Amino acid sequence: MSHKPSVLFVCVHNAGRSQMAAGWLRHLAGDRVEVRSAGSAPADTVNPAAVQAMAEVGIDITDQRPKLLEVDAVEASDVVITMGCGDACPIFPGKRYEDWKLEDPAGQGIDAVRPIRDEIKNRIEKLLADLLPVSRP
């Protein structure tokens, strides 16, 4: 991609998995990737266990708020990553779609959320390697 790639993370409540994924991508990519997240039925607040799990690795997501998934966000994104939201995400030609099967952290304690956080990090690192390949001399 010759322009700055954009990624949209979508889950039902936009309170756990998608917020952690967006936090990891912002942290690891800096301003090299545009990051969005949304939910098909957004919660009122971000999951406190997700906030705590991310804080443990030095990533602050306390300023994030769950947002409703809108068609414009999908249209403006190069990559759309869904996390258990079923068919709620509109499909547009030319977009890259991935469905990440991840445990839902809703209602779970920090001990259950940490492995989800770590799995998301691994997936983000692979995504970044694909979106921003290192140029070799």
Side-chain angles (χ1 to χ4, degrees), residues 9-23:
F9 297 101
V10 183
C11 68
V12 176
H13 300 297
N14 189 220
R17 295 168 289 191
S18 57
Q19 293 289 354
M20 288 191 288

Side-chain angles (χ1 to χ4, degrees), residues 7-114:
V7 178
L8 169 64
F9 297 101
V10 183
C11 68
V12 176
H13 300 297
N14 189 220
R17 295 168 289 191
S18 57
Q19 293 289 354
M20 288 191 288
W24 273 121
L25 187 54
R26 283 187 196 99
H27 178 75
L28 295 172
D31 63 357
R32 298 176 298 159
V33 176
E34 189 174 345
V35 181
R36 298 179 180 90
S37 71
S40 54
D44 293 329
T45 60
V46 175
N47 180 334
V51 171
Q52 181 183 350
M54 295 301 285
E56 289 177 353
V57 295
I59 300 172
D60 182 5
I61 60 170
T62 57
D63 63 339
Q64 299 302 305
R65 301 288 172 259
K67 295 173 261 339
L68 180 63
L69 175 63
E70 296 185 1
V71 172
D72 292 352
V74 179
E75 279 186 307
S77 300
D78 299 308
V79 180
V80 179
I81 297 175
T82 58
M83 305 172 177
C85 64
D87 296 331
C89 191
I91 305 293
F92 290 97
K95 304 290 177 196
R96 173 177 161 187
Y97 291 87
E98 293 184 21
D99 185 36
W100 290 0
K101 306 282 188 220
L102 296 162
E103 195 70 35
D104 188 349
Q108 299 199 51
I110 188 67
D111 290 334
V113 175
R114 285 183 187 116

